[in-house]
């Protein structure tokens, strides 16, 4: 079986994902995808007729984000029509899965040159009037009876309660994320891979991160009201179903302590990213220099009702597949969907805090759902190179109680 090499990656800055506030909110989602696809082709002088597939993660595939965004973005980017494209949905884990599938295609010998990545414009959410949660669709009562799946924020609060993790610890982690992101931005750690977004008329839309709040203080975080207490009791249908009663179906004695708020939860943003992968044979024949190889990949499921707990078992599984131990990993990227996800990961694995999310995470930078995983892989690779380290692990929680994971190793 062939290796899969990472040749390059790039991404857009993240724009605030709200109409009237975000600099990318008026763009078309496929235009964000086209921006990174065009850049990665130009940076590597690709013959796009030889790109076997473009695989994108996009979680909300409705409205402007429907219709196989990967294929449409590639066409807008000027790719040869022979370069195909597909779009997938593993909720928040889509961006890792797209890269993993790209790697699998290469390792199996099916393809030689594939791009994995993702694009998500959270500013489009709600435009079509469809429910954000598939678990609430009419006719889904049978699944809800077996696996009730609440809102992720309510799940985060439930996990913090079950684990005995206090709000102060979560706010401390959120503050650290903002400070690390500020340091990374101020020192240009993201510049190598950041691609400015221009509107179709050529005017600059955004060339820097828009979401971070470097002025954040611990005192300010302490003053924020919990975001999910009222939501937990909002009636979802005529029977009185609520997110709280969903949790109580599985955990009847749990009294949820609501500890998550806007400051220690991931930011709502727009963004896109792309990772270029190649077989060793193709790279050598075409003068492409590898930056890393895929060491191992896996997928993991966990309790759908708690929803956010699969990253720890995913990390353990991917380490086992790689024949590695935790101490063999130089840096970790674990998506900060909510502070409790990363805090629990650190505690369960007894992890050195100086090795995880070293340039901040989604609490500071934002979480463009289907794209985030590919962004984290690229951020990790850049930082491994900057620090002259070798191995890194990326994982993230996904709705439905899932987590994909990947280990990369510098070439």
């Amino acid at each position: 079986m062939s290796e899969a090499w990472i040749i390059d990656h790039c991404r857009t800055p993240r724009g605030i994902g709200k109409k009237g506030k975000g600099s990318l909110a008026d763009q078309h989602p496929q235009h964000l995808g086209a921006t990174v696809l065009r850049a990665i082709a130009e940076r590597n002088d690709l013959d796009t007729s030889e790109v076997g597939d473009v695989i994108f993660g996009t979680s909300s595939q409705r409205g402007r984000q429907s219709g196989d965004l990967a294929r449409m973005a590639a066409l807008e980017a000027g790719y040869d029509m022979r370069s195909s494209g597909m779009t997938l949905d593993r909720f928040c884990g889509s961006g890792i899965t797209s890269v993993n599938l790209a790697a699998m295609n290469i390792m199996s010998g099916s393809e030689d040159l594939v791009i994995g990545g993702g694009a998500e414009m959270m500013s489009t959410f709600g435009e079509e009037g469809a429910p954000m949660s598939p678990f609430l669709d009419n006719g889904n009562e049978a699944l809800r009876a077996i696996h009730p799946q609440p809102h992720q924020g309510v799940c985060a609060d439930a996990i913090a309660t079950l684990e005995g993790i206090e709000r102060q610890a979560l706010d401390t982690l959120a503050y650290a994320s903002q400070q690390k992101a500020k340091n990374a931005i101020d020192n240009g750690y993201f510049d190598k891979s950041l691609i400015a977004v221009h509107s179709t008329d050529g005017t600059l839309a955004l060339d820097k991160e828009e979401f971070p709040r470097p002025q954040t203080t611990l005192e300010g975080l302490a003053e924020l009201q919990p975001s999910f207490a009222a939501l937990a009791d909002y009636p979802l249908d005529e029977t009185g179903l609520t997110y709280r009663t969903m949790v109580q179906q599985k955990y009847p004695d749990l009294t949820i302590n609501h500890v998550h708020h806007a400051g220690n939860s991931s930011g709502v943003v727009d963004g896109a990213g792309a990772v270029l992968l190649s077989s060793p044979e193709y790279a050598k024949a075409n003068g492409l220099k590898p930056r890393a190889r895929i060491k191992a990949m896996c997928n993991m499921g966990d309790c759908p009702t708690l929803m956010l707990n699969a990253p720890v078992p995913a990390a353990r599984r991917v380490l086992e597949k790689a024949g590695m131990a935790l101490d063999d990993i130089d840096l970790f990227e674990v998506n900060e969907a909510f502070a409790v996800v990363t805090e629990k990961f650190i505690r369960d694995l007894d992890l050195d805090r100086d090795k995880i999310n070293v340039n901040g995470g989604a609490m500071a930078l934002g979480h463009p759902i289907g794209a985030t995983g590919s962004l984290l892989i690229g951020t990790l690779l850049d930082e491994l190179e900057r620090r002259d380290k070798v191995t890194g692990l990326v994982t993230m929680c996904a709705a439905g109680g899932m987590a994909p994971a990947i280990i990369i190793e510098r070439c």
Side-chain angles (χ1 to χ4, degrees), residues 195-410:
I195 304 299
V197 179
H198 291 81
S199 300
T200 53
D201 64 3
T203 59
L204 178 66
L206 187 65
D207 63 355
K208 60 181 181 297
E209 300 292 348
E210 192 170 45
F211 187 79
R213 292 154 290 183
Q215 72 277 13
T216 298
T217 64
L218 282 170
E219 293 76 17
L221 290 170
E223 293 174 359
L224 295 176
Q225 293 298 309
S227 296
F228 306 108
L231 181 64
D233 294 314
Y234 185 82
L236 301 171
D237 63 17
E238 65 279 358
T239 71
L241 179 75
T242 67
Y243 291 126
R244 191 181 306 278
T245 59
M246 286 185 180
V247 174
Q248 290 171 342
Q249 276 183 245
K250 292 286 188 178
Y251 301 90
D253 299 325
L254 181 65
T255 301
I256 300 174
N257 181 25
H258 293 284
V259 291
H260 286 88
H261 49 74
N264 60 22
S265 304
S266 56
V268 176
V269 296
D270 302 327
V275 180
L276 176 64
L277 298 100
S278 167
S279 67
E281 295 76 16
Y282 184 91
K284 291 171 184 176
N286 290 275
L288 298 176
K289 184 178 179 181
R291 296 175 61 186
R293 61 176 57 86
I294 308 299
K295 185 76 173 176
M297 302 166 284
C298 82
N299 299 297
M300 195 76 197
D302 204 273
C303 173
T305 300
L306 292 179
M307 201 173 292
L308 312 176
N309 278 344
V312 169
R316 288 176 170 146
R317 174 175 283 183
V318 77
L319 284 166
E320 181 180 358
K321 285 181 174 292
M324 301 174 74
L326 276 168
D327 288 344
D328 296 323
I329 303 298
D330 294 310
L331 295 174
F332 296 81
E333 287 287 334
V334 179
N335 188 43
E336 296 172 350
F338 300 92
V340 73
V341 176
T342 308
E343 183 66 23
K344 177 174 164 54
F345 191 91
I346 292 168
R347 295 186 184 197
D348 285 1
L349 297 178
D350 193 23
L351 203 64
D352 181 348
R353 291 178 183 268
D354 291 335
K355 295 173 69 172
I356 184 168
N357 298 353
V358 296
N359 290 326
M363 291 186 288
L365 296 162
H367 174 25
I369 296 177
T372 302
S374 60
L375 272 58
L376 295 183
I377 292 168
T379 297
L380 174 67
L381 177 53
D382 284 349
E383 190 62 18
L384 286 171
E385 290 175 343
R386 193 183 74 80
R387 296 184 179 213
D388 196 23
K389 299 294 185 180
V390 178
T391 58
L393 187 154
V394 185
T395 187
M396 59 198 306
C397 60
M402 300 182 288
I406 184 171
I407 295 174
I408 65 172
E409 178 183 74
R410 283 181 58 207

